[in-house]
C-alpha cells in the first residue's frame, strides 16, 4: 500500500501533493514501482494535527481518486463517513479507518474496511499512553471490531495495530515483536511503520543525535516492513514503494529457499 497524502501538513510528505496533477502523477509512480493499493488521504493524523472539515477533505481527495481508480485499487484514509462515501463514489474500494468507526459505512457501501487501533485522538494521543498488556489489549480490541464488522456484513476486514497512535516507543516495539499474535487471529493484518517517529529515535542511537528526520528513516522503514511481512503481515503501508518492493523480494526469496 503506497501512501499518497493530499495534505499541507502530513509529517513526512505534507504539501508535496496538494496539487491534483502532482498527486495523480505520484500515485501512478507508486503503481509503477509495485504498489497494489494507493492510500489517498486528505487529513493528517500526525500527533497534534488540526482537524479538517469534510468538504475540504473531499475537495482534496475526490479528483485524485477519480483519476487513479481505473488504474489501481484505491483506499481512502479517512475517519469521516461523508468523505468515505464521496471517495467510494469516485472509485475507492477500501476504507482505511484510523478511528475504527466506519464499519457501518463500509457495510452500506459494500467495500472493504481496514480497522486501525488508536488510543485517544491525534491531538492528545501521545500525551501519556498506558496499557497493562499492549499486545493483548490491541489484539482483543481489533478482533472485537472485526467480528462486529463481519456481523454487519463487511466482506473484507483488515486489522492494523496502529504503530505510533497512542503508543510509546516500547509499545510500538512490543507490537512489532508480537505481530504473530495478530496474524494468528486469522484476519489479514496491515502495518504502517514508514518514516514514523519511533524509527527516528531508534536510528538516532547510532548517529549520536536525539532523532533522525522523517526523510532519513528509510533503513528503519525497510527493516520493519520486511520484518512484518516475514511474520505473515499481508500489507505494509509505505511511502518508499520501490525500495520496499525490492527489500521484500529479497526476504521472500530467502524464506522460499529456506522452506
Ligand atoms: N499511519 C498514518 C496514517 N494512516 N493508516 C493505517 N492503516 N495504518 C497506519 O499506520 C497509518 C495510517 C500516519 O502516516 P502518514 O499518512 O504518513 O502521515 P499523516 O497522518 O501525517 O498524514
Amino acid at each position: 500500500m503506497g501512501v499518497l497524502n493530499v495534505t499541507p501538513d502530513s509529517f513526512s510528505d505534507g504539501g508535496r501533493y496538494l496539487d491534483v496533477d502532482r498527486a495523480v502523477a505520484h500515485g501512478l509512480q507508486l503503481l509503477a514501482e509495485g504498489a497494489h493499493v494507493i492510500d489517498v488521504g486528505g487529513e493528517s493524523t500526525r500527533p497534534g494535527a488540526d482537524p479538517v472539515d469534510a468538504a475540504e477533505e473531499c475537495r482534496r481527495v475526490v479528483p485524485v481518486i477519480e483519476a487513479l481508480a481505473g488504474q489501481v485499487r484505491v483506499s481512502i484514509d479517512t475517519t469521516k463517513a461523508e468523505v468515505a462515501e464521496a471517495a467510494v463514489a469516485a472509485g475507492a474500494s477500501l476504507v482505511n479507518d484510523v478511528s475504527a468507526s466506519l464499519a457501518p459505512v463500509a457495510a452500506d457501501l459494500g467495500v472493504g474496511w481496514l480497522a486501525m487501533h488508536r488510543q485517544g485522538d491525534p491531538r492528545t494521543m501521545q500525551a501519556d499512553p498506558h496499557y497493562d498488556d499492549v499486545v493483548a489489549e490491541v489484539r482483543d480490541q481489533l478482533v472485537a471490531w472485526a467480528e462486529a464488522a463481519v456481523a454487519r456484513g463487511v466482506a473484507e476486514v483488515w486489522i492494523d495495530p496502529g504503530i505510533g497512535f497512542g503508543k510509546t516507543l516500547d509499545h510500538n516495539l512490543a507490537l512489532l515483536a508480537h505481530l504473530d499474535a495478530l496474524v494468528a487471529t486469522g484476519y489479514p493484518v496491515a502495518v504502517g511503520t514508514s518514516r514514523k517517529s519511533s524509527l527516528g529515535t531508534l536510528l538516532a542511537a547510532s548517529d549520536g543525535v536525539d532523532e533522525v528526520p522523517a526523510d532519513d528513516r528509510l533503513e528503519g522503514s525497510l527493516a520493519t516492513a520486511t520484518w512484518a511481512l516475514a511474520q505473515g503481515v499481508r500489507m505494509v503501508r509505505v511511502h518508499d514503494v520501490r525500495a520496499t518492493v525490492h527489500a521484500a523480494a529479497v526476504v521472500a526469496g530467502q524464506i522460499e529457499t529456506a522452506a
Side-chain angles (χ1 to χ4, degrees), residues 5 10-11 44-46 77 96 160 165 192 196 237 239:
N5 287 318
S10 287
F11 78 94
S44 174
T45 52
R46 75 186 154 74
D77 187 351
N96 175 21
D160 180 332
F165 285 82
K196 283 190 178 168
R237 182 181 180 279
H239 300 84

